[in-house]
Amino acid sequence: MVIHWFRRDLRLDDNAALYHALSQHENVQCIFIFDKNILDKLADKDDARVTFIYNQLMNIQNRLAEIGSDLKIYYGHPDEIWQNIIQELKPSAVFTNKDYEPYAKERDQKIAELLASNDIIFNAYKDHVIFEEDEITKDDGDPYVVFTPYSRKWKSKLAETHIASYENKKYFNHFIKTNSSPKISLEEMGFEENSMDFPSITTQVGIIKNYGEKRNFPGIEGTSRLSVHFRFGTISIREKVRRGKSLSEKWLNELIWRDFYSQILYHFPHVKNGSFRSKYDAISWKNSKDHFDAWCQGKTGYGLVDAGMRELNATGFMHNRVRMVVASFLTKHLLIDWRWGEAYFARKLLDFDLASNNGGWQWASGSGVDAAPYFRIFNPYTQIQKFDKDHTYIKKWVPEWGTNQYVTEIVNHKEARELCLKTYKEALDNV
Ligand SMILES: Cc1cc2nc3c(=O)[nH]c(=O)nc-3n(C[C@H](O)[C@H](O)[C@H](O)COP(=O)(O)OP(=O)(O)OC[C@H]3O[C@@H](n4cnc5c(N)ncnc54)[C@H](O)[C@@H]3O)c2cc1C
């Protein structure tokens, strides 16, 4: 028998590693490991992402049960769990899809060695992105650090084979025939169910078609809201790229940003802890705890910033335009280290993804790849004029906005802007 190990690819259809397992072997056992190394770091016991994963695993389990098979779910440290699995199941090979985050790469390296020492083959496939690692580089082999030429090369290299679906269904009779095993509950892992509504897995064709005109306005349903599904692999990137190609080049570009940031993290893992442009590490952040708390709670007195933070706290989602505004406000108006904001997003976003989140934060603070120059500071008033003119979005999340119940601005825009320019300039001139 062989094992398919699910991680951020939580679906049975059009799944690369699962396809290879099923098409090459007749006894495929599916497993998932709730990783204590990750779960122990989560601050909130009702973390919605744990519920999301759990629900998705139950969907997979139900489909497997209909076929007469089973998903085994483990909970613990992966290296210890794998020692047990090797004894319990005695697989001849393990199939999985690659995860490019630094922790995952290190974990997989160790598991691959453990498996090899037991004569078990570890097969890892590309599934999460269209182009991985160094598949798209400059002609001299160096990685791209600017998006436009990267996306041009990406598009010129894209062939039908990169976006063809894996027809897993053809081989569904190759899942191992076995009874359903007992399943660990969320409570047994120390978590509570979160009753939050998760974004739907289906998107209206109209949203993608009209994306170019509507994507920047947080008050309307102008974006796909598929990010949590891309994050956990509940949808296939190949299918969505086919959609983007036929319906909207602008939307396709967003999917390319996702690949772009993934390869940045792969080539420049130092971005996980520090600025991509190291001279930005010299900025002397003010890091006011009170200002940070006001920002987290959506009580800065700036309507669009507060609406965004309240949307994030209530739903685990924030519109991209507003993510840019709140991130710029934190790093530039409040002079708070982008890593604080990055960590808060990591705790709250359902779609949290290290590569895209880090890329977005470093872009906003000016320290990242292809970032706007530091002296371009978003004006929180004109952003409202341009993108939420009739205040639909602000009023939805900050009903008291514009009344005397609303908090006063915690910093003065003009003064904050000047202080930011001075602080950035001092740091960057001195290195
Ligand atoms: C400070 C900051 C932090 C961010 N953190 C994350 C994060 O943790 N996880 C995340 O998936 N995205 C992140 N983004 C990117 C973007 O805001 C979200 O992907 C998008 O808002 C999700 O909404 P949607 O699914 O409706 O996207 P759509 O606009 O419909 O786009 C389709 C898909 O393309 C991808 N995408 C879109 N924009 C970007 C982008 N700028 N960079 C990378 N991928 C993109 C996403 O997978 C998204 O679901 C961040 C952006 C900023 C400015």
Side-chain angles (χ1 to χ4, degrees):
M1 68 104 78
V2 301
I3 289 180
H4 174 75
W5 180 14
F6 282 110
R7 287 104 64 94
R8 43 162 82 200
D9 57 330
L10 303 181
R11 64 187 191 286
L12 292 176
D13 303 299
D14 190 8
N15 177 323
L18 184 57
Y19 175 84
H20 289 291
L22 290 169
S23 58
Q24 294 166 30
H25 299 274
E26 293 194 351
N27 272 328
V28 179
Q29 170 71 59
C30 293
I31 70 152
F32 181 85
I33 301 171
F34 275 106
D35 184 341
K36 254 177 138 313
N37 298 329
I38 298 173
L39 295 187
D40 286 354
K41 293 204 185 98
L42 298 179
D44 305 309
K45 288 303 148 205
D46 64 344
D47 192 303
R49 292 161 300 190
V50 182
T51 299
F52 181 86
I53 294 171
Y54 196 83
N55 292 349
Q56 193 55 33
L57 294 176
M58 291 306 120
N59 292 341
I60 292 177
Q61 164 61 30
N62 292 342
R63 277 189 76 193
L64 287 174
E66 281 166 21
I67 305 166
S69 193
D70 182 42
L71 170 71
K72 283 187 183 288
I73 301 180
Y74 300 88
Y75 169 57
H77 298 286
D79 42 356
E80 292 164 16
I81 297 282
W82 272 105
Q83 302 269 12
N84 296 340
I85 294 175
I86 293 168
Q87 300 302 318
E88 181 201 3
L89 303 176
K90 303 190 171 46
S92 60
V94 173
F95 289 75
T96 201
N97 288 309
K98 284 194 221 172
D99 183 332
Y100 308 93
E101 292 192 359
Y103 163 73
K105 277 176 17 194
E106 206 178 296
R107 175 198 61 202
D108 287 357
Q109 178 66 33
K110 278 198 210 142
I111 303 298
E113 283 163 20
L114 171 69
L115 294 172
S117 67
N118 285 277
D119 290 328
I120 302 167
I121 306 157
F122 184 72
N123 304 288
Y125 295 86
K126 174 178 74 171
D127 180 76
H128 188 65
V129 289
I130 298 295
F131 291 113
E132 64 175 4
E133 301 171 354
D134 45 17
E135 284 187 306
I136 304 287
T137 56
K138 295 183 196 166
D139 293 343
D140 62 7
D142 281 351
Y144 281 106
V145 293
V146 177
F147 177 72
T148 307
Y150 172 86
S151 67
R152 228 180 278 130
K153 181 70 108 13
W154 189 105
K155 285 175 188 166
S156 73
K157 266 204 152 184
L158 186 73
E160 285 306 313
T161 47
H162 296 117
I163 48 175
S165 289
Y166 289 94
E167 299 298 332
N168 293 23
K169 264 203 194 96
K170 274 202 300 204
Y171 300 103
F172 272 11
N173 59 337
H174 288 179
F175 283 116
I176 197 161
K177 299 285 171 296
T178 181
N179 293 332
S180 175
S181 54
K183 300 285 179 277
I184 188 163
S185 66
L186 284 174
E187 289 71 27
E188 283 168 290
M189 295 186 286
F191 285 88
E192 291 159 20
E193 191 177 341
N194 188 308
S195 55
M196 187 181 272
D197 280 338
F198 298 113
S200 158
I201 201 163
T202 52
T203 315
Q204 306 296 334
V205 168
I207 288 193
I208 299 178
K209 257 194 175 158
N210 300 323
Y211 185 77
E213 297 89 69
K214 300 202 168 159
R215 69 194 175 119
N216 265 315
F217 304 100
I220 55 180
E221 268 185 49
T223 72
S224 70
R225 300 252 167 161
L226 287 176
S227 49
V228 63
H229 297 291
F230 283 120
R231 166 64 182 84
F232 292 109
T234 36
I235 50 178
S236 149
I237 182 67
R238 292 172 290 278
E239 185 206 328
K240 298 304 169 196
V241 165
R242 290 201 300 275
R243 274 240 161 144
K245 263 186 88 199
S246 67
L247 295 173
S248 163
E249 170 118 22
K250 278 264 185 306
W251 196 66
L252 177 64
N253 284 341
E254 302 302 335
L255 303 181
I256 303 176
W257 271 104
R258 187 174 165 273
D259 274 18
F260 177 67
Y261 281 139
S262 166
Q263 60 96 37
I264 291 291
L265 182 61
Y266 173 80
H267 287 289
F268 306 98
H270 74 274
V271 297
K272 181 171 175 271
N273 301 312
S275 299
F276 172 75
R277 297 162 206 272
S278 52
K279 59 182 182 175
Y280 280 74
D281 285 333
I283 292 170
S284 88
W285 303 106
K286 298 284 168 265
N287 287 348
S288 153
K289 180 85 179 52
D290 288 347
H291 282 175
F292 183 64
D293 288 345
W295 179 84
C296 292
Q297 291 166 27
K299 291 189 178 160
T300 66
Y302 283 86
L304 198 50
V305 174
D306 291 346
M309 295 309 293
R310 292 188 200 185
E311 180 185 23
L312 175 65
N313 292 332
T315 68
F317 184 83
M318 194 193 302
H319 188 280
N320 181 60
R321 166 62 43 189
V322 193
R323 290 187 204 202
M324 294 195 285
V325 171
V326 305
S328 168
F329 188 82
L330 186 82
T331 51
K332 296 194 169 157
H333 283 74
L334 302 182
L335 281 171
I336 290 178
D337 192 330
W338 57 268
R339 280 161 283 222
W340 290 29
E342 183 196 25
Y344 191 73
F345 269 31
R347 178 173 162 192
K348 293 283 171 181
L349 278 175
L350 282 178
D351 65 27
F352 164 60
D353 174 75
L354 178 58
S356 297
N357 193 42
N358 181 277
W361 275 97
Q362 296 223 33
W363 180 88
S365 74
S367 63
V369 283
D370 211 357
Y374 76 84
F375 47 81
R376 232 179 261 154
I377 299 173
F378 274 6
N379 177 321
Y381 305 116
T382 47
Q383 289 291 310
I384 299 176
Q385 281 306 311
K386 286 189 194 154
F387 303 112
D388 193 34
K389 211 172 171 180
D390 57 6
H391 311 142
T392 320
Y393 178 73
I394 295 184
K395 286 279 186 195
K396 176 169 181 194
W397 295 105
V398 190
E400 78 278 20
W401 184 74
T403 72
N404 55 12
Q405 310 293 313
Y406 188 45
V407 284
T408 46
E409 296 170 347
I410 56 170
V411 287
N412 170 281
H413 166 61
K414 204 162 160 277
E415 287 166 16
R417 187 175 184 283
E418 276 158 20
L419 182 61
C420 168
L421 290 174
K422 185 167 163 279
T423 309
Y424 267 66
K425 191 166 185 317
E426 266 168 19
L428 301 175
D429 281 355
N430 284 336
V431 276

